[in-house]
Amino acid sequence: MGNKQTVFTPEQLDAYQDNPFRERIAQVFSQDGDGNMTLDDFLDMFSVMSEMAPRDLKAYYAFKIYDFNNDDYICPLDLEKTMIKLTRGELTPEEVGLVCEKVINEADVDNDGKLSLDDFQNMILHAPDFLSTFHIRI
Amino acid sequence: MPLGPQNSAQSAAGRMIPDVGAARPAPPWPYLGTQISSPAVAPGTETRMEARGGPGEDWIPRGPGPGPSLSALLSELPSSATVRYRGPGIRPWGDPEPPLEQSRQESWSQWQTAPMASPEKPPESQALRELPWPMEAKKLLWRLQALSRPAKPVPGIRGSKGALLVGRVWARLIGVPKMLVPWRSILMKIGGQYGAGTEAYFGLLRFLLGLNILGALFQGVLTLLPLLLLGPIPGPPSSGVTKTCGSYDPVPQGFVDYVTHLTNLLSGEGHLEWSPLFYGFYPVQLRGGTFQLPVAYLLSTFVSGLLCLFLILRRSMSGLKQTLLSESGALTSYSHRVFFAWDFGLQGSSPVELRRRAIRYELQVELEEASMRKQAEARTGAQRAGLWMTRILLNLLVLALLGAAFYGVYQATDPHKNLQEDPVVQATPLLKLLIAYLPSIFISTANLILPPVFSLITSLEGYTRSRQIQFILLRTVFLRLVSLVVLLVSLWDQITCGGKPEAEACATCGYDYSILPCWETRVGQEMYKLLLFDLLTCLAVPLLIQFPRKLLGSMCGGRLGRLVKTMEFQVPEEVLGLVYGQTLVWVGGFYCPLLALLNTVKLLLTFYLKRFTLFAFCSPASRTFRASTANFFFPLVLLLGLAISAVPVLYGIFVIPPSKLCGPFRDQPNIWAAIPNAIQGLSQGAQDFLFFLGTLSFAVPLMLVSSVLMVYTLTLATSYGRLVSKLKGHLKMESESKVLLAQKIVELSGEERDL
């Protein structure tokens, strides 16, 4: 422990290679935003993704993960990227666009065309499954 | 992700903790804020963000505006400060790099004034968990708090240090029962691989196991144990003596061969009929006279029934809370599927691929349903009339099928004893067994064949997929539970001569004593046979249907083979099977006291069998089941089964006269009469109180008070619902005005600059 610098590159996180958001998770939890995590970052990640983490904490980090351009808002571009990563490009662009539009319609409370953290947390209130899906079982 | 080149070098500088004595290091990650995001976001002088264009439209940065950009302005608001705050001494997200000559003192003061979740005071120990800070920051703050924390415990934890200790020990103790619950790891594994619905099924199975163990315990302790301890063990009823209500001679005399023994075991006759398994065995009085067996017998049934009701309600309440919370499910389905559908715990390429396919499938289903809804609205009058004609015809077809099934069940119980009295049948015990099992066979066959037919019919009715599934479930539930009711009705018909107490067969004793000298045991036997056959079906279906299918599918390759081979675990049908079995036990529990014990064994076997077939034959479901709806819907169907099972039991207790030749109630006019007789034996005060409970002067005020409470709760619920929607609208308006004001400020400051 202490100041030992053990850096885990994304390539070394083999078990989670199949997660479409693996790069984003690594980026969010790493200090430099590049995906290189120290042991403390690694522990942080597992602490947040464990079942004991409070809901607001998970919501905060989930928001960060889905915010691809790190502008504190989930804009339609972020949504598109999320969709493409989720479905591996199996949906047609029109369907992707339709779904993005519907998501913003459903979740955008302050009507600015993108989702802020408040909107996201509001949405989480309606999602009782969130705690069980945003969870890495060890 | 874009990075400043200078920052990757600084990432090795370590974490951003205000180290004692160290100079203020530069931030370890780049300023991802204003320099990168604002050009992409600030619309400059637009009053409304043109955000609703499709993804094809370019999100062109219009260049940094003349004044403070919109995003910079919005990020100064307190509500968004929580998004960016990362901990003491750590640069918030999006802050520009500080000048390097900042001293340690300044960094500390900055920490004090930096925007935090609770700006005025450092967060309390409970809230420390919820702050999105790196672990080092939290540890540091904890240490700082420990220094500055007074000897008194933090406000919010009542009492002294001793109470704190007790609280911690109590929390540990509370966690122990959770560890005792069996099969936790198996259920987690199933949930990870096959989805939440399958896990919910196995969870329900475990819950039912608990219920049955409790029920068996109650009935065993209250009826069987006193009988075994106090005695006397009743011998077989006197044979050959004909009383007014016929003679009852269940135990076979003389030599019984092996095959007959086996058939007796399977149909509950012979030696098994006169055993603690069935109602008829229990005597009226035990030795000593202090323990009232009839009262205990009745009480055990009522207490276990009420306990089951309470436990099921408790289980469904948590599911209800979750479902109510997501009450506008239709309005949030897309956002749910995009953000919360992915299970971050999936490992291995095949579950991941399947989950991906499931998400894509669900999104496509949603889009398809939306387009179907649009289509439905666009239908002309003639088309609509045609559709409704089709629906009516198909519903009539479904009703015809159900009616045929019910008629078949009725005939299978052989109401006129035509088949049973056939001499050929009497000679071969195997045929006799088959005839005895005919109702069970018929019910099980109907339950196997009809549900796929229903799904075919429902798909022709032109509903959306979710509506189709609801209809199929409704029809299957109806089929299963009503076929059981039909069986009971035909039994009732035989017992009470069709409900006519003045018919010649039923006139003397109140029931048909010639064919059913001990009718309660007969009802118990029917339930026993149904339970056994249900277990047999459970064993046979994997062996005879699923295993050959899998074999066949793997032999013929290609598309057809894969189609044949892929079987999914049909959660709703399996759950209905569980509910059906439990309803059997509830109905038969009064007439066959050890049925709950048998059901416990059956459920154990079912668990391991289903688990085996799941992992061996089934592929993960393509349709995901919402865990919250499963937790609410399944106990609800269980409640329905409990309600349906209460009717025959209560009818038998209150209306039908008990058999005169067997059972603990043989000298009472009806079964319930044992309770008033027992009350007579109590003290006068207790008698008066208990009899008062039965009078109108107690029942009417009770009913009035209950209705008042119910109306009050309903009004409270509706007013809360209205308050919630009003608050939601308020929230929306506030957020809109906030964004509007921010845009106005940007405009005005831009104009000011221009001037």
Side-chain angles (χ1 to χ4, degrees):
Chain A
M1 282 290 204
N3 278 331
K4 188 159 182 199
Q5 298 294 324
T6 321
V7 176
F8 288 86
T9 57
E11 289 81 42
Q12 286 176 303
L13 301 170
D14 258 283
Y16 298 95
Q17 280 303 312
D18 308 306
N19 193 322
F21 300 109
R22 58 185 181 270
E23 291 141 356
R24 275 307 292 166
I25 296 177
Q27 279 159 6
V28 164
F29 284 100
S30 63
Q31 288 275 15
D32 56 4
D34 200 12
N36 301 316
M37 293 201 266
T38 65
L39 180 63
D40 288 329
D41 294 329
F42 195 67
L43 288 175
D44 264 339
M45 176 178 90
F46 275 107
S47 150
V48 168
M49 308 283 286
S50 74
E51 59 186 8
M52 301 288 290
R55 166 188 287 227
D56 287 335
L57 190 61
K58 288 197 187 224
Y60 172 83
Y61 277 103
F63 182 78
K64 282 255 150 276
I65 287 177
Y66 291 127
D67 182 7
F68 280 80
N69 50 11
N70 283 321
D71 62 351
D72 301 336
Y73 290 101
I74 299 182
C75 56
L77 265 182
D78 294 332
L79 274 178
E80 250 189 79
K81 289 205 192 120
T82 312
M83 291 278 308
I84 292 175
K85 278 201 190 286
L86 264 183
T87 59
R88 192 63 92 187
E90 278 168 0
L91 287 180
T92 66
E94 302 91 52
E95 287 174 337
V96 170
L98 206 60
V99 175
C100 288
E101 196 183 303
K102 284 199 194 284
V103 170
I104 296 212
N105 278 341
E106 280 175 4
D108 195 9
V109 171
D110 51 17
N111 243 345
D112 58 356
K114 47 196 185 169
L115 306 178
S116 63
L117 182 64
D118 296 327
D119 298 333
F120 195 74
Q121 280 178 334
N122 208 20
M123 219 195 325
I124 288 210
L125 284 178
H126 297 291
D129 302 336
F130 171 65
L131 285 176
S132 54
T133 54
F134 199 73
H135 169 212
I136 292 184
R137 297 177 177 94
I138 303 183
Chain B
M1 290 290 116
L3 296 174
Q6 66 274 30
N7 295 297
S8 42
Q10 282 156 0
S11 64
R15 293 207 146 225
M16 281 299 303
I17 306 161
D19 220 356
V20 181
R24 188 93 170 76
W29 61 82
Y31 32 100
L32 302 163
T34 44
Q35 264 147 301
I36 295 177
S37 59
S38 51
V41 170
T45 52
E46 309 269 333
T47 49
R48 190 136 190 95
M49 299 258 210
E50 299 305 318
R52 301 206 185 266
E57 229 181 83
D58 236 352
W59 197 245
I60 304 169
R62 288 180 228 262
S69 67
L70 185 67
S71 76
L73 187 66
L74 284 175
S75 56
E76 285 176 29
L77 292 173
S79 54
S80 74
T82 59
V83 178
R84 302 165 48 246
Y85 188 63
R86 282 280 288 171
I90 298 183
R91 292 270 121 238
W93 305 90
D95 245 31
E97 199 175 326
L100 281 168
E101 59 272 14
Q102 232 181 0
S103 68
R104 184 166 55 94
Q105 302 306 110
E106 258 194 62
S107 72
W108 278 104
S109 59
Q110 208 156 46
W111 170 58
Q112 306 281 348
T113 55
M116 302 172 56
S118 46
E120 293 312 308
K121 51 191 191 318
E124 298 181 350
S125 46
Q126 289 103 320
L128 185 61
R129 280 183 81 215
E130 303 197 2
L131 293 172
W133 298 358
M135 224 183 280
E136 294 279 355
K138 286 195 210 181
K139 275 198 261 184
L140 181 77
L141 186 64
W142 181 256
R143 265 181 255 137
L144 289 170
Q145 278 187 340
L147 292 175
S148 60
R149 205 181 298 140
K152 226 160 55 91
V154 182
I157 304 177
R158 279 201 304 257
S160 62
K161 191 168 163 200
L164 203 67
L165 253 160
V166 168
R168 243 182 259 140
V169 170
W170 181 247
R172 292 257 172 88
L173 275 180
I174 293 279
V176 165
K178 268 207 189 151
M179 307 290 274
L180 288 179
V181 169
W183 301 322
R184 268 170 73 240
S185 53
I186 299 181
L187 249 69
M188 279 210 299
K189 189 169 165 209
I190 291 177
Q193 270 198 285
Y194 290 95
T198 318
E199 190 183 345
Y201 165 80
F202 282 93
L204 189 74
L205 212 158
R206 189 175 59 182
F207 171 70
L208 284 178
L209 190 69
L211 274 186
N212 277 294
I213 290 179
L214 270 175
L217 214 68
F218 262 106
Q219 292 200 296
V221 164
L222 283 177
T223 55
L224 190 59
L225 209 61
L227 183 66
L228 291 175
L229 287 179
L230 294 174
I233 309 284
S238 43
S239 50
V241 176
T242 340
K243 301 199 197 124
T244 40
C245 288
S247 68
Y248 181 53
D249 194 8
V251 182
Q253 308 291 349
F255 176 72
V256 179
D257 67 333
Y258 178 71
V259 181
T260 324
H261 254 301
L262 197 65
T263 52
N264 281 344
L265 187 75
L266 288 175
S267 59
E269 286 168 5
H271 285 285
L272 214 56
E273 189 165 342
W274 194 253
S275 70
L277 184 62
F278 291 114
Y279 166 100
F281 181 73
Y282 292 86
V284 180
Q285 268 196 352
L286 293 177
R287 203 178 298 145
T290 42
F291 191 85
Q292 301 274 12
L293 190 63
V295 176
Y297 198 93
L298 265 178
L299 276 182
S300 69
T301 313
F302 286 141
V303 168
S304 55
L306 283 172
L307 198 71
C308 288
L309 179 70
F310 172 68
L311 287 171
I312 296 174
L313 277 178
R314 202 177 72 129
R315 192 177 168 90
S316 62
M317 276 311 116
S318 54
L320 180 68
K321 267 188 225 162
Q322 284 179 337
T323 329
L324 278 185
L325 210 53
S326 56
E327 86 252 35
S328 48
L331 297 177
T332 48
S333 43
Y334 282 99
S335 35
H336 276 187
R337 302 227 197 279
V338 171
F339 290 126
F340 309 130
W342 183 259
D343 188 346
F344 281 73
L346 287 179
Q347 288 184 27
S349 52
S350 49
V352 160
E353 194 50 49
L354 282 156
R355 180 59 88 113
R356 196 174 261 148
R357 230 186 289 155
I359 294 177
R360 176 178 62 99
Y361 175 81
E362 285 200 356
L363 283 170
Q364 280 176 336
V365 160
E366 287 280 342
L367 290 168
E368 178 197 323
E369 283 196 15
S371 70
M372 266 192 88
R373 245 173 268 143
K374 255 191 242 152
Q375 239 185 8
E377 279 160 27
R379 267 195 213 118
T380 64
Q383 283 178 328
R384 219 173 287 202
L387 187 68
W388 276 106
M389 275 306 296
T390 329
R391 282 189 190 158
I392 291 176
L393 281 174
L394 287 173
N395 270 307
L396 284 176
L397 179 66
V398 164
L399 282 172
L401 280 172
L402 285 172
F406 298 151
Y407 183 72
V409 171
Y410 184 78
Q411 288 298 344
T413 56
D414 203 13
H416 306 294
K417 300 268 176 214
N418 296 330
L419 277 171
Q420 273 186 19
E421 267 135 42
D422 194 38
V424 178
V425 173
Q426 292 279 7
T428 9
L430 209 61
L431 271 182
K432 248 175 89 172
L433 187 69
L434 207 68
I435 300 293
Y437 266 92
L438 207 57
S440 332
I441 296 176
F442 202 87
I443 291 182
S444 297
T445 327
N447 286 332
L448 274 177
I449 297 182
L450 281 183
V453 174
F454 287 158
S455 40
L456 192 67
I457 292 180
T458 328
S459 59
L460 296 171
E461 280 182 335
Y463 290 116
T464 53
R465 263 229 38 104
S466 47
R467 195 51 84 79
Q468 275 180 30
I469 295 195
Q470 286 172 355
F471 267 102
I472 297 172
L473 270 178
L474 206 68
R475 287 171 179 156
T476 318
V477 167
F478 193 69
L479 170 71
R480 278 203 183 240
L481 293 178
V482 177
S483 54
L484 187 62
V485 170
V486 169
L487 178 68
L488 290 168
V489 164
S490 84
L491 272 177
W492 166 83
D493 199 34
Q494 290 177 39
I495 295 170
T496 56
C497 316
K500 297 191 281 287
E502 62 276 1
E504 47 162 308
C506 300
T508 28
C509 297
Y511 59 93
D512 193 349
Y513 61 87
S514 49
I515 40 175
L516 295 170
C518 188
W519 62 266
E520 293 97 340
T521 307
R522 176 80 161 84
V523 175
Q525 279 171 342
E526 284 295 338
M527 297 298 126
Y528 172 78
K529 283 188 283 192
L530 278 173
L531 196 80
L532 276 187
F533 197 74
D534 201 30
L535 179 63
L536 195 70
T537 326
C538 197
L539 285 167
V541 162
L543 205 63
L544 296 177
I545 300 185
Q546 290 181 332
F547 178 60
R549 222 179 117 171
K550 183 108 183 158
L551 215 61
L552 208 68
S554 45
M555 279 199 303
C556 19
R559 193 116 188 267
L560 184 68
R562 227 172 325 136
L563 204 71
V564 166
K565 190 163 62 158
T566 35
M567 287 171 287
E568 287 175 9
F569 192 80
Q570 302 288 346
V571 175
E573 278 86 23
E574 300 285 345
V575 167
L576 285 178
L578 277 183
V579 172
Y580 170 74
Q582 191 56 41
T583 315
L584 279 179
V585 172
W586 279 325
V587 172
F590 183 73
Y591 303 108
C592 175
L594 296 183
L595 206 62
L597 195 66
L598 287 175
N599 201 32
T600 314
V601 175
K602 176 181 167 235
L603 281 175
L604 272 173
L605 282 172
T606 315
F607 184 87
Y608 288 108
L609 195 72
K610 290 278 178 213
R611 193 190 105 189
F612 172 71
T613 50
L614 184 73
F615 283 113
F617 300 143
C618 297
S619 42
S622 56
R623 251 198 97 88
T624 46
F625 224 97
R626 283 264 174 81
S628 46
T629 46
N631 279 331
F632 172 62
F633 176 68
F634 296 161
L636 206 67
V637 186
L638 209 57
L639 268 179
L640 185 70
L642 181 63
I644 289 187
S645 69
V647 174
V649 175
L650 290 175
Y651 189 80
I653 290 179
F654 284 99
V655 180
I656 308 183
S659 314
K660 304 272 188 293
L661 297 173
C662 59
F665 301 99
R666 59 190 87 167
D667 44 3
Q668 316 271 7
N670 60 28
I671 298 182
W672 178 252
I675 301 265
N677 285 343
I679 295 182
Q680 303 281 12
L682 293 172
S683 67
Q684 190 59 35
Q687 265 187 54
D688 287 339
F689 176 68
L690 286 170
F691 279 129
F692 171 70
L693 287 181
T695 55
L696 267 180
S697 52
F698 177 74
V700 169
L702 184 72
M703 236 187 327
L704 281 175
V705 170
S706 326
S707 1
V708 165
L709 275 174
M710 212 162 41
V711 169
Y712 172 70
T713 322
L714 274 172
T715 21
L716 206 64
T718 28
S719 59
Y720 276 146
R722 242 179 276 141
L723 183 68
V724 165
S725 32
K726 229 191 276 187
L727 282 174
K728 266 198 228 169
H730 203 69
L731 198 73
K732 218 172 148 79
M733 263 199 298
E734 290 292 316
S735 319
E736 282 185 33
S737 19
K738 168 182 94 177
V739 172
L740 202 65
L741 282 173
Q743 285 166 351
K744 280 264 183 266
I745 294 179
V746 169
E747 258 187 64
L748 287 173
S749 52
E751 283 171 15
E752 257 181 38
R753 283 279 187 97
D754 283 342
L755 287 176

